[in-house]
Amino acid sequence: MKASGPVRNSYTQEVDISHYIRRLGGVEYRVANNPGDYAAARKLIKEKNVEAPKLTFPTILAWKDGELLGLLGTYVKQSVPYLGPLVLKYPSRPFTGIRLLDSYDNVMRATGVEAYAIFVYKEEGDMQKWIELMPGAKLRATTDEGWHYIRRL
């Protein structure tokens, strides 16, 4: 399935996503752009027992031979785009997650987004270490539930 055509989103007037496809190691990384893509994403989220808010643009999918290997979504809270969730079918393959994040950042830059928010729950403390290693990520607040970051691109 190939992504093509313009997509409207809350960050820009209109974005042509046809060029947001990359293939690395037999895996296709692309923007979800139709109901089937989002249904596949929701299925993987449910399969992995991840709590996730409603996904919006951009949600990046990693496909190989018709199998969804992972996704990195976006949700919006108070008009602010938040990164997440990151869901990997095979967590032992961390490069899929790294490439999803790289593709996500490329799409965000191309649509004119200069920064996005990240929230890390305290029970995901290991993830906080990864976020702090990301260029441009800065801790903004700590709550009883977790940590709020802003990442500038």
Side-chain angles (χ1 to χ4, degrees):
M1 196 175 227
K2 188 173 182 178
S4 63
V7 171
R8 289 200 176 276
N9 63 65
S10 59
Y11 316 122
T12 62
Q13 292 290 324
E14 193 170 274
V15 179
D16 181 4
I17 63 168
S18 61
H19 60 284
Y20 297 134
I21 299 173
R22 53 192 288 218
R23 290 174 184 83
L24 297 163
V27 179
E28 179 179 273
Y29 298 86
R30 65 177 175 79
V31 176
N33 70 340
N34 62 60
D37 286 344
Y38 285 99
R42 285 190 302 275
K43 182 179 176 188
L44 181 59
I45 287 168
K46 184 176 181 183
E47 192 178 291
K48 294 308 231 172
N49 201 28
V50 173
E51 286 188 40
K54 182 180 178 188
L55 299 177
T56 187
F57 179 89
T59 293
I60 309 298
L61 306 175
W63 292 95
K64 183 172 185 177
D65 300 327
E67 179 183 26
L68 182 59
L69 300 179
L71 67 100
L72 182 54
T74 301
Y75 65 97
V76 177
K77 187 175 178 181
Q78 299 176 347
S79 300
V80 175
Y82 275 79
L83 173 82
L86 170 63
V87 182
L88 299 176
K89 186 162 191 160
Y90 306 108
S92 62
R93 297 182 183 168
F95 286 111
T96 302
I98 292 166
R99 290 175 176 153
L100 282 165
L101 179 60
D102 186 49
S103 297
Y104 184 89
D105 286 349
N106 288 338
V107 170
M108 292 299 255
R109 282 186 197 98
T111 58
V113 174
E114 296 177 0
Y116 55 82
I118 305 168
F119 181 76
V120 180
Y121 288 98
K122 287 205 173 172
E123 55 266 16
E124 300 173 325
D126 290 344
M127 183 61 77
Q128 183 193 21
K129 295 172 191 169
W130 286 100
I131 300 299
E132 291 187 355
L133 292 173
M134 294 169 68
K138 184 174 182 180
L139 181 63
R140 288 299 204 193
T142 301
T143 66
D144 290 340
E145 293 85 29
W147 302 275
H148 292 268
Y149 290 87
I150 295 292
R151 179 158 189 231
R152 301 220 176 271
L153 297 172

